[in-house]
Amino acid sequence: MNKFLVCRKMRFGAPQTALSLFSSFNLSRSLHSLPFATVEAEAISGSQPAEVQNLVQGKWTGSSCWNTIVDPLNGEPFMKVAEVDETGIQPFVESLSRCPKHGLHNPFKDPERYLLFGDISAKAAHMLSLPKVADFFTRLIQRVAPKSYQQAFGEVYVTQKFLENFSGDQVRFLARSFGVPGNHLGQQSHGFRWPYGPVAIITPFNFPLEIPVLQLMGALYMGNKPVLKVDSKVSLVMEQMTRLLHYCGLPVEDVDFINSDGKTMNKLLLEANPRMTLFTGSSRVADKLAVDLKGRIKLEDAGFDWKILGPDVQEEDYVAWVCDQDAYACSGQKCSAQSILFMHENWSKSSLISKLKDLAERRKLEDLTIGPVLTFTTEAILEHMNKLLQIPGSKLLFGGERLKNHSIPPVYGAIKPTAIYVPVEELLKDNNYDLVTKEIFGPFQVVTEYSKEQLPLVLDALERMHTHLTAAVVSNDLHFLQEVLGKSVNGTTYAGLRARTTGAPQNHWFGPAGDPRGAGIGTPEAIKLVWSCHREIIYDFGPVPRQWEIPPST
């Protein structure tokens, strides 16, 4: 690994002032102050590319195949990722195969490890609470998945609080069992949370720290041995976090970390045959994996997320601000981003749309409140927009233009925050519905309005959707809330005047509903659901009744 000893200003193609937010975190960035780090976030550039390694069987390794990643803000080749190809997966297969189905620990085996992971969590939480460490990871996130400092820091903060939550005895409390009296003296049934053993975790680019850390630690807490794959565009963040966890006491053999393309990872899964795989990403890949892995999978897949504004119009500035944040923060690249906004006609008579437009136009590349779209090109987004504009009655509310004066490479998207109005009656037509509800993972949303009489049409639109991740019902009208909540299914739904679609703090469940494959993240319930199964042990010690005789055959 290269160690960058020269501190340079980050080459973001933007004024340095954009990177000076939260100035209290601007402490010394010498590598010597971060004993786990092997890179310097602000030194990564075309002339000093970072290198990302793999971890298998307790050893960091390179590869004969290095994938060059271009800077999403200026197109320079600024990272080299040691990607494993199909011929190099055997060490990972062997590593997983060494883990038994009963896991690295369970309630009857090495219970001291529950305490170990409580200690690891406490130490890692403390590390992330240090301003220089928090700043390091915040800027590393910005470097590979450009978003504002505040949005990137939010990932670090949630991760730190999650680790804090599972410090001390909280890990062993995840394995809490229960007992039920039996039918006779000496018999009791006990329910235990049991690990799967060898498992796999696959996570996307948009939250390069929060999603993989929360799922990885959940897997480890319950006694599993995971192999972790993060999108290569951002895997540097998790490589550095894994090194921090080692520094905090994580045994180096407990986690394997692989960089590869999707085809290679698919082959690894088929050969290593993990007992459970957690996949966060696109619905198309999720459905393929569900078949390939014979259902041994948990999914937190894509979300075409909706927000409904109820009949009670109030706090327009606040509601508009939340709508802007939900739709356009992180350039709309959140699985919880607001994809469609259903406005009651009372809201359409307000100044909401003009306020939304003003807020969207505040966003600029200089402070990364708008930035590159990493999974859609500009042309693809504009093509989708033009198709929507062909629907009768549709119109461009704002945006719909390319970003100007930038050096974002054409492989990525660069578009202003955009909103397209589509009439609700047209939205529901069979030849329009799939087009309107196509998820564009970028700063793009559909807006429509409805009357009181048209609420059943809105509920029908929700019923027909295929993904049910997050949603918001913005209203303090209890009867309206009951109607909408009772006839919808999204797994993380905010309700009330301050309702939002985005935001996954460590204190509440985040995940889809309506699908038995659905995964959760963040809470004890999520960890137990995803990373353990139920095992029932029935103790039956006797005594055998006196003068017992063998009964007739039955």
Side-chain angles (χ1 to χ4, degrees):
M1 289 292 291
N2 289 340
K3 292 189 176 182
F4 307 131
L5 303 180
V6 181
C7 181
R8 299 175 49 192
K9 289 186 177 180
M10 186 179 284
R11 300 182 64 183
F12 254 17
Q16 179 63 20
T17 54
L19 302 174
S20 298
L21 303 171
F22 292 75
S23 58
S24 64
F25 289 89
N26 293 337
L27 305 180
S28 168
R29 297 187 181 90
S30 166
L31 286 180
H32 300 295
S33 65
L34 298 179
F36 63 88
T38 59
V39 299
E40 167 52 57
E42 293 190 357
I44 301 170
S45 66
S47 61
Q48 292 188 350
E51 292 184 359
V52 186
Q53 293 187 318
N54 302 287
L55 175 66
V56 62
Q57 299 180 24
K59 296 180 181 179
W60 289 102
T61 64
S63 171
S64 59
C65 178
W66 291 85
N67 180 18
T68 299
I69 307 295
V70 299
D71 188 326
L73 284 167
N74 60 30
E76 289 186 347
F78 80 141
M79 244 187 333
K80 296 193 297 181
V81 180
E83 288 202 346
V84 176
D85 62 21
E86 293 185 37
T87 64
I89 64 172
Q90 199 55 38
F92 295 89
V93 174
E94 293 172 359
S95 184
L96 277 189
S97 68
R98 292 174 185 172
C99 177
K101 294 177 184 177
H102 56 259
L104 299 178
H105 63 265
N106 60 52
F108 291 84
K109 172 188 173 183
D110 295 330
E112 298 85 358
R113 281 174 54 91
Y114 292 113
L115 306 183
L116 169 67
F117 280 98
D119 290 342
I120 293 168
S121 296
K123 292 173 183 174
H126 172 70
M127 288 291 289
L128 289 182
S129 74
L130 299 176
K132 59 188 176 183
V133 177
D135 184 63
F136 170 77
F137 280 106
T138 299
R139 294 182 184 278
L140 205 58
I141 291 167
Q142 280 192 298
R143 200 69 190 89
V144 299
K147 59 181 84 173
S148 71
Y149 192 101
Q150 189 170 8
Q151 288 288 318
F153 175 72
E155 272 196 70
V156 181
Y157 178 81
V158 168
T159 303
Q160 188 266 333
K161 287 298 179 184
F162 169 86
L163 291 166
E164 210 170 65
N165 283 348
F166 292 99
S167 299
D169 287 322
Q170 298 308 309
V171 173
R172 67 167 147 200
F173 288 159
L174 290 170
R176 189 191 303 270
S177 60
F178 64 85
V180 178
N183 293 336
H184 50 256
L185 182 63
Q187 186 186 73
Q188 287 185 330
S189 58
H190 287 256
F192 295 94
R193 299 312 304 177
W194 214 256
Y196 290 103
V199 298
I201 304 169
I202 304 172
T203 63
F205 76 92
N206 55 334
F207 285 87
L209 183 73
E210 181 180 340
I211 294 176
V213 171
L214 269 59
Q215 295 292 12
L216 173 66
M217 297 308 290
L220 290 167
Y221 292 157
M222 301 312 296
N224 303 289
K225 177 185 173 67
V227 57
L228 171 65
K229 172 184 159 33
V230 182
D231 189 311
S232 291
K233 292 190 293 291
V234 299
S235 60
L236 175 63
V237 176
M238 201 57 206
E239 189 229 44
Q240 295 296 297
M241 185 63 194
T242 303
R243 294 177 187 275
L244 180 147
L245 291 171
H246 289 162
Y247 179 76
C248 293
L250 174 68
V252 293
E253 301 87 0
D254 278 16
V255 176
D256 293 332
F257 180 78
I258 186 171
N259 298 289
S260 73
D261 61 19
K263 184 179 178 183
T264 298
M265 189 63 189
N266 192 261
K267 182 177 177 64
L268 170 60
L269 293 174
L270 293 177
E271 292 196 14
N273 195 29
R275 304 300 298 169
M276 215 290 291
T277 294
L278 179 281
F279 175 79
T280 304
S282 77
S283 297
R284 178 184 60 81
V285 176
D287 288 339
K288 179 187 187 307
L289 286 175
V291 174
D292 290 349
L293 302 178
K294 298 180 174 61
R296 296 190 303 274
I297 192 167
K298 287 289 184 181
L299 305 175
E300 196 264 272
D301 56 356
F304 187 83
D305 305 301
W306 51 264
K307 178 181 288 182
I308 297 176
L309 305 184
D312 46 327
V313 177
Q314 50 188 312
E315 301 289 352
E316 290 181 34
D317 285 343
Y318 182 83
V319 171
W321 173 75
V322 175
C323 285
D324 173 73
Q325 286 290 107
D326 282 346
Y328 304 126
C330 298
S331 301
Q333 295 173 104
K334 296 183 179 183
C335 52
S336 56
Q338 178 179 303
S339 301
I340 187 166
L341 177 65
F342 295 93
M343 297 187 301
H344 190 279
E345 60 185 356
N346 293 346
W347 280 98
S348 61
K349 296 171 186 176
S350 74
S351 58
L352 178 72
I353 294 299
S354 65
K355 291 179 185 294
L356 262 178
K357 181 175 184 291
D358 292 342
L359 290 167
E361 290 176 349
R362 295 192 310 172
R363 296 183 174 275
K364 53 187 182 294
L365 188 59
E366 286 77 11
D367 60 6
L368 294 178
T369 50
I370 193 69
V373 178
L374 301 189
T375 54
F376 279 86
T377 63
T378 304
E379 288 70 24
I381 298 172
L382 293 176
E383 180 184 1
H384 180 71
M385 179 188 76
N386 290 329
K387 289 179 180 178
L388 289 175
L389 290 174
Q390 294 174 16
I391 296 174
S394 66
K395 59 184 177 183
L396 176 66
L397 295 177
F398 53 82
E401 299 178 8
R402 300 169 185 265
L403 292 178
K404 298 176 182 178
N405 302 319
H406 66 81
S407 53
I408 296 171
V411 68
Y412 297 136
I415 189 170
K416 294 180 179 180
T418 299
I420 305 291
Y421 174 83
V422 178
V424 68
E425 302 94 335
E426 292 292 332
L427 182 156
L428 282 163
K429 290 183 178 178
D430 290 340
N431 56 332
N432 293 333
Y433 186 82
D434 287 343
L435 175 66
V436 174
T437 57
K438 178 181 178 179
E439 183 183 18
I440 300 297
F441 212 58
F444 191 97
Q445 67 172 321
V446 172
V447 178
T448 190
E449 69 174 271
Y450 68 97
S451 64
K452 178 180 179 181
E453 293 73 26
Q454 290 175 314
L455 180 59
L457 297 181
V458 175
L459 297 174
D460 182 41
L462 309 185
E463 179 70 16
R464 290 169 62 181
M465 291 179 186
H466 300 295
T467 54
H468 304 288
L469 184 54
T470 71
V473 190
V474 183
S475 176
N476 281 349
D477 182 328
L478 291 179
H479 291 158
F480 181 82
L481 288 173
Q482 288 175 179
E483 177 77 5
V484 176
L485 294 175
K487 295 180 179 177
S488 57
V489 69
N490 290 45
T492 303
T493 303
Y494 294 86
L497 179 65
R498 299 185 63 174
R500 63 191 195 269
T501 65
T502 63
Q506 69 293 334
N507 61 294
H508 73 59
W509 163 284
F510 183 85
D515 187 336
R517 304 170 302 176
I521 192 171
T523 63
E525 291 78 16
I527 292 171
K528 286 183 276 190
L529 172 82
V530 175
W531 295 115
S532 70
C533 57
H534 181 92
R535 184 183 187 189
E536 192 88 359
I537 296 177
I538 297 89
Y539 292 109
D540 207 342
F541 301 113
V544 175
R546 284 186 176 183
Q547 300 178 340
W548 182 86
E549 296 180 356
I550 297 176
S553 298
T554 59

